[in-house]
Amino acid sequence: MTQPEHDLRPRLFAAWAERPLALACVFLAVTTLVWKTVGLEFVPGWDDMFGGVGAQYPRRAIEMSGAWKIGYLLVYGCLGTTATISGLLISLRRGSLESAAGAPLCRYAAVLGLFHVILGLHHTAWAITAGRWGHLRLEQFEVPGGYVLGALAGAWTGLHGLRLLSSRSESPTHRIMRSKIAVDGVSCLTFVSVVVCYARNALGLPRDGFVERVSWTLVFVGPVLWLVLDLAWSRRLPRSSATP
């Protein structure tokens, strides 16, 4: 009896989440764009999250400089919205995973990749300077290994961004899709604390230090775990279909 051949078709980690993640990322980016332009004061509980040390989303200073405000608007708001819409278009217009990506898909991937290279550099700089770069201060939450996990996730996400940025027309579609799902998942996981704290504020619940500490811990543990699972999944595939 002959042995069954390996299934050499490429398979994606968390393929079921491809479009939900893409849609969630667009929503988060558009929300950020609105927040950084017209503001979200009309959303009950939103502004209550942000402030100096002691807030649910603690900053080094309550008021940011104009340069930082413009930087966050351009990167997270403008480029973030453009990049996440590009990511959604990848999911809507791609062919089979085995097919060549083609020029249009590579252009979308390049925009998404540029965004995540910049984010990767920013988050890595924040981590290796122990919060001196950027404005987020997390000492009050006592996140175990937060700076180490932040540096790892930032650098790893930046590498996926480089993969997207360097995509070529002849690149297999599954190579783009693997990195796209990786960065989309990381993006959503970094908003866990915002979602949890905002939901509690909107419901009128009192602050809970334990809940806030757990949600911030998930912001750092979640992305690294997501990237590790993606790597492990890619390594279990036959060599001809794996995308290192």
Side-chain angles (χ1 to χ4, degrees), residues 89-209:
L89 289 173
I90 291 174
S91 290
L92 295 177
R93 298 183 179 182
R94 71 173 178 85
S96 66
L97 296 178
E98 299 91 340
S99 64
L105 217 64
C106 289
R107 285 194 291 269
Y108 298 142
V111 176
L112 183 63
L114 175 62
F115 176 56
H116 284 284
V117 167
I118 294 173
L119 286 193
L121 291 171
H122 173 61
H123 293 155
T124 303
W126 171 84
I128 63 178
T129 61
R132 289 186 294 276
W133 169 265
H135 286 79
L136 181 63
R137 302 305 300 266
L138 294 180
E139 288 81 359
Q140 72 194 54
F141 298 118
E142 300 176 352
V143 177
Y147 291 125
V148 175
L149 293 172
L152 179 59
W156 204 336
T157 303
L159 288 175
H160 274 292
L162 283 174
R163 286 167 56 89
L164 290 165
L165 192 57
S166 62
S167 298
R168 298 291 180 266
S169 296
E170 61 274 13
S171 301
T173 297
H174 68 82
R175 183 180 186 275
I176 291 176
M177 291 309 304
R178 179 195 163 192
S179 288
K180 178 189 174 303
I181 291 176
V183 297
D184 282 355
V186 168
S187 293
C188 289
L189 287 166
T190 59
F191 274 85
V192 167
S193 61
V194 171
V195 171
V196 171
C197 292
Y198 168 69
R200 292 182 62 85
N201 291 348
L203 293 171
L205 298 175
R207 289 188 59 178
D208 186 314

Side-chain angles (χ1 to χ4, degrees), residues 4-75:
E5 295 183 358
H6 287 295
D7 182 359
L8 299 180
R9 291 175 299 177
R11 295 172 301 227
L12 297 172
F13 167 67
W16 57 271
E18 176 192 344
R19 290 190 178 184
L21 285 175
L23 288 168
C25 287
V26 172
F27 173 77
L28 293 173
V30 171
T31 299
T32 302
L33 181 61
V34 174
W35 177 35
K36 297 299 183 181
T37 50
V38 301
L40 289 174
E41 293 87 355
F42 57 90
V43 178
W46 180 265
D47 279 349
D48 295 339
M49 288 187 292
F50 303 95
V53 175
Q56 291 169 314
Y57 196 102
R59 295 168 173 159
R60 185 177 345 115
I62 296 178
E63 186 66 25
M64 292 188 295
S65 68
W68 277 102
K69 287 181 178 180
I70 293 173
Y72 282 130
L73 169 62
L74 293 177
V75 174

Side-chain angles (χ1 to χ4, degrees), residues 208-230:
D208 186 314
F210 175 75
V211 171
E212 291 176 9
R213 185 162 55 252
V214 169
S215 64
W216 273 107
T217 299
L218 291 174
V219 167
F220 290 89
V221 174
V224 173
L225 180 59
W226 180 265
L227 293 168
V228 167
L229 290 173
D230 164 71

